[in-house]
Amino acid sequence: MNNKRQLKRRHLIYYLRVFDRDKDKLIGHLADINQKGCMLISTKKIEINKEFNMKMLLPNPIMGSEELIFSTHSKWSKKDINPDFYLTGFEFDDFPSQKVKIIDKLIDDFGFND
């Protein structure tokens, strides 16, 4: 795991569903997020150092979007404290400013004040 993270990951009040767009299949649920990456919780181990095209369903439309579509790379994966689940960290590919604004709004509207 990379301990050089510059932005704090934020937990949301929802575990939003995240899908692999190429396979149209649920990958996992969002555990935390920031402008640079996210962590998913899943029932299956996710391969690391792999590129993914993802789609995350938003709890409410944000700036006219009901979903966030993005590309990312899996960086690490480990068993969750609950042995039935895995945690996987992802780093986002470069986002246009519109997608960064959607993530910021998502955190503002649904993030825990931790």
Side-chain angles (χ1 to χ4, degrees):
M1 278 185 261
N2 184 353
N3 291 325
K4 298 179 184 177
R5 183 176 301 139
Q6 295 176 1
L7 295 173
K8 180 180 177 180
R9 292 266 178 94
R10 299 295 307 273
H11 298 275
L12 303 180
I13 59 174
Y14 296 108
Y15 275 152
L16 302 177
R17 294 182 296 164
V18 180
F19 295 86
D20 182 327
R21 286 186 297 140
D22 296 333
K23 297 178 182 176
D24 196 28
K25 184 177 178 182
L26 180 69
I27 295 177
H29 292 80
L30 184 72
D32 64 35
I33 191 168
N34 67 25
Q35 293 177 352
K36 300 286 185 186
C38 66
M39 181 174 65
L40 299 184
I41 187 165
S42 61
T43 56
K44 295 181 181 176
K45 186 169 177 71
I46 296 173
E47 184 179 346
I48 60 170
N49 299 318
K50 183 177 175 188
E51 183 176 337
F52 290 88
N53 294 308
M54 295 184 177
K55 172 176 69 173
M56 179 171 54
L57 303 179
L58 301 173
N60 291 321
I62 297 176
M63 301 173 69
S65 296
E66 294 182 357
E67 59 190 22
L68 182 63
I69 294 173
F70 55 96
S71 296
T72 188
H73 288 84
S74 54
K75 298 304 236 179
W76 58 266
S77 187
K78 67 178 185 176
K79 277 274 197 187
D80 185 35
I81 214 166
N82 179 337
D84 294 333
F85 296 99
Y86 293 88
L87 299 174
T88 305
F90 293 88
E91 183 176 31
F92 296 138
D93 294 340
D94 289 333
F95 267 170
S97 63
Q98 179 75 4
K99 289 186 181 183
V100 170
K101 289 177 185 176
I102 290 173
I103 288 176
D104 287 343
K105 181 78 170 138
L106 181 67
I107 291 168
D108 286 346
D109 289 353
F110 302 105
F112 284 111
N113 293 323
D114 50 356

